[in-house]
Amino acid sequence: MAPRRRCPVCRSRQWHKEPSSGLIACSEGHILQNYRNETTTEAEDLGGAHAMLKRTIKSGRKKTEDLGLGRANPQLYHGARGTYLYYQCLQLIFRKQIAALTKLWNLPSEFELICRDIWALNLTLLPEHPPPEPYHYVHGENAGSQDDDDQDPSSDENDEDGDEDGILATLQADTSSESEPEGEDGDGVGRGEPKQTRKKRSPDLNKYRSVTSTIAVLMLACWTIRIPVMFRDFISAIEAYDLPYLDPVRHLPPTMVAHLTRAKIQSLSMQRPPRTLTLHNLTSRLAKKMHASFDVFTPELNAAPLLWRIIRVLGGNPTLYQLTKQLACILSLPLSVTYTLAPGLERLKTNDPEHHVYDHVPVEVGFVAVTIIALKMVYGLDGEDRVHSDPGDPGLSLPAIDEYLEYVSRLSEKDIMERNTMFSSESQMSVGDLNEVMLDEYVSFCERALLGGENDGDGVVAKYFPLKGREWKDLPDSETAIPCGKMQGSRPDEDGKGVRPGEKYKVFIGTDSGGSVATGLEALVRRGAGYIKVSEEDIFSVTERCERRLLSWWKKQRKNTRNRKRSQIRTKH
C-alpha cells in the first residue's frame, strides 16, 4: 500500500471524505487541492454521488490488538517453528543418550551410526512428518521491516510529489470493510458456505515423538548389532540416572529452552521411567514399519545370554537351562521383536496357522514363563512333592524343592540390598535403614540425580556433605555366581510310589485375580516379574497360554503315536 500523503499546512496524515460535498479534508479541516469529483446526471438524480451506509457491528469482528501477538511472549516459538525446535531438542537428547550408553556399556563406534540411520527412518515413519525449518526465519526476510511511522522524514517530500491514489485506495478499503453484507462472518466466509475443518491430529502422535521413542530406537540398534540386552537394562540405567531420560530438559542449552513453550517442555519432561510393555509396543511397531516400508529386517535376539540371565535370577543351573531351551523350541517361542518378523510355523495342513496367537509379548517375558513351566514339571509347585524314580531323570540334577525355594528367598533378600535395587523407584527401603556407607552412596546418587552431573556447580554438596574415601562393597551378584553347587541334588526314590514329575500338572488361570496359588510358585513368579519389570498378572497370563499350547502339542504327539502303532499293526497283518 502506498504511504499516505501529508497535509501541506498541518502535516497531518489523517484524511476523510466530506459526505455532503465529496471533498477530501484532513483532521484539521484543510481541503485537499487539485482533487476533482465528476458525476453524471443519473447519479445526481439518484440523490447525490456519495451514498452513505450505516455501519453494522459484527459479533465476529476481531479487534486490532488481537491481530498481532498481543500479550504473547515474543521469545516463544509457535506453529511450524516451534515444532521444528521441538524435534531439534529431541534429537539433541537422543545424541546425549547415545553418548551415555556407549560409555556405560562400552559399545563399539558403529553403534552411533546404526542409531542415526534408525532415527532417520523413525522420523520418516511418523504419522505426521517433522516440518522443515521455516524459510523466512532462516534468511531473515522480516528482520529489516519497519513501520511507516518510523521512516526517515526526508521521504515526506517524495510523498507529497506523488499522486493521491494511496489516499483514495485507503478510503475505499475502509468504506468497503464497513459496508460488508451481514451474510458473511468475520473470516470472510459466507454463513451458507461450509467452513474448512481442521485436520485432526493422530492421538498416538505424541507417543511416537516423545522421549520414550528414543529408547525404542536404541533398543533396535542393540538388536541390530546382536547385543544381548533387554528392556530391563534400559529401565535400570534410567533409574540410576546414567541414561538421560528423566527431566532431560536440563541437559539442553538455555538458548534452546528459552524458546520452548510450556506444552513442549512438558512433552520433553519425563517424570518416571517407562514400562517394559510400553517400550515393547513402540519397538515392535518401529521394526514392523521399517520392514514394511523400507524392507529393513531386524535380526532375532541374541537369546542364549539372556536366557542364562533369566535362569540365574531364578536360581537355576545348566540343567534347568537345557530343559527351558527344549521347551522353548517345542513351543516355537518367537525370538524376534515382533511375531510378524519371526519365521512361520510348519504347515502340514492348509488350515494350519502361520503364527501362534498371543505371541506379541517381550522375549524375556516368554523366557520367564517357559522357565516356570519347566520348574512346575520338575517340582510341581502345587504343594505336593514329586518322586524321581528313574535314575536318568534330569530332575535329579536339580536341588531339592525345599533347598531351592530357600535359596530363591535368600536371593530376593540380597537383591534388596544391592545398589541398583536400593535406589530404584520401586524400592521400599527407608533412609533410616541405611548404614554410613549406604548413606554416603545415597548422597552421591542424589547429587547425580538432582544436579545432573559429576560436578555440582557451586560445590554445595561437597561443602555441606563432605564424603570420605569409602569403598562400596556389593553383595555377590546373583547373575554370575553359581550357588547350586553348594546344594545337594535330589535323590531317586527306590519305592517309586507317589506323583512323578509331569503328572497331575495344574494349569492356573492367569486372569483369575481372586484365585490362589502355592507359596513356591508365587515366590518364583514375583521374582521373575520384578526382574524384568512387568506385573505378576502378565507372567501368569503368558504362562497359561504356553501351558495350553504345550498341552495341545502333547495331545497331538499322542495321536500321532497311536496312528503310527496302528499302521505298524496293519503292516504286520
Side-chain angles (χ1 to χ4, degrees), residues 249-321:
V249 181
R250 59 183 177 179
H251 299 286
L252 299 176
T255 55
M256 299 180 68
V257 180
H259 301 293
L260 291 174
T261 60
R262 183 183 303 176
K264 295 294 189 299
I265 293 178
Q266 291 179 354
S267 300
L268 292 173
S269 302
M270 296 295 167
Q271 304 299 330
R272 58 182 61 88
R275 298 188 303 173
T276 299
L277 298 182
T278 303
L279 291 176
H280 173 69
N281 292 333
L282 292 176
T283 307
S284 60
R285 171 196 171 272
L286 180 57
K288 190 187 306 181
K289 290 282 187 179
M290 288 169 51
H291 184 263
S293 301
F294 303 103
D295 201 16
V296 177
F297 182 78
T298 304
E300 291 185 347
L301 176 68
N302 192 359
L306 289 187
L307 179 57
W308 176 247
R309 288 175 60 182
I310 298 296
I311 297 298
R312 299 305 311 130
V313 167
L314 295 178
N317 56 7
T319 302
L320 182 60
Y321 173 84

Side-chain angles (χ1 to χ4, degrees), residues 210-257:
S210 62
V211 186
T212 312
S213 62
T214 60
I215 307 298
V217 175
L218 294 175
M219 187 66 181
L220 275 185
C222 292
W223 279 44
T224 303
I225 57 179
R226 306 285 292 171
I227 297 178
V229 294
M230 59 180 73
F231 296 107
R232 184 251 184 198
D233 300 328
F234 288 94
I235 298 176
S236 299
I238 290 172
E239 290 179 343
Y241 285 86
D242 294 330
L243 184 63
Y245 181 86
L246 299 175
D247 193 16
V249 181
R250 59 183 177 179
H251 299 286
L252 299 176
T255 55
M256 299 180 68
V257 180

Side-chain angles (χ1 to χ4, degrees), residues 327-525:
L327 280 178
C329 182
I330 292 174
L331 296 174
S332 301
L333 201 67
L335 302 179
S336 301
V337 65
T338 175
Y339 69 95
T340 56
L341 300 180
L345 301 176
E346 184 180 1
R347 302 182 63 183
L348 301 178
K349 300 179 182 179
T350 55
N351 56 351
D352 289 345
E354 296 182 359
H355 301 281
H356 286 301
V357 188
Y358 308 117
D359 267 345
H360 189 59
V361 293
V363 179
E364 54 265 30
V365 176
F367 283 164
V368 172
V370 176
T371 305
I372 291 176
I373 293 175
L375 291 173
K376 288 178 66 177
M377 295 179 66
V378 175
Y379 296 118
L381 298 177
D382 54 357
E384 187 175 358
D385 296 337
R386 296 302 190 268
V387 177
H388 302 276
S389 58
D390 188 4
D393 191 352
L396 297 175
S397 302
L398 297 176
I401 179 64
D402 298 334
E403 296 181 359
Y404 173 71
L405 294 179
E406 183 181 357
Y407 170 69
V408 171
S409 62
R410 291 201 308 267
L411 286 181
S412 301
E413 294 176 359
K414 291 180 180 179
D415 288 345
I416 297 177
M417 303 302 296
E418 289 184 357
R419 182 190 306 181
N420 296 334
T421 308
M422 184 172 55
F423 298 149
S424 66
S425 58
E426 300 176 357
S427 177
Q428 302 295 332
M429 182 176 294
S430 175
V431 181
D433 300 334
L434 304 178
N435 54 26
E436 294 183 359
V437 179
M438 294 180 179
L439 191 59
D440 293 343
E441 186 67 21
Y442 179 70
V443 173
S444 301
F445 170 76
C446 293
E447 177 184 357
R448 183 173 66 256
L450 299 177
L451 302 180
E454 299 179 356
N455 187 11
D456 59 347
D458 299 333
V460 178
V461 177
K463 180 179 179 180
Y464 293 99
F465 301 96
L467 303 180
K468 299 180 180 179
R470 298 177 179 176
E471 296 182 358
W472 176 275
K473 296 182 179 180
D474 281 327
L475 296 174
D477 192 359
S478 60
E479 299 181 5
T480 57
I482 303 180
C484 290
K486 302 179 182 179
M487 294 184 291
Q488 297 180 359
S490 302
R491 296 181 180 180
D493 192 352
E494 298 178 356
D495 297 337
K497 297 180 180 180
V499 183
R500 300 176 60 184
E503 293 182 352
K504 295 184 179 181
Y505 189 92
K506 295 183 179 180
V507 178
F508 297 95
I509 301 177
T511 57
D512 186 9
S513 59
S516 60
V517 296
T519 306
L521 178 59
E522 185 178 2
L524 291 175
V525 171

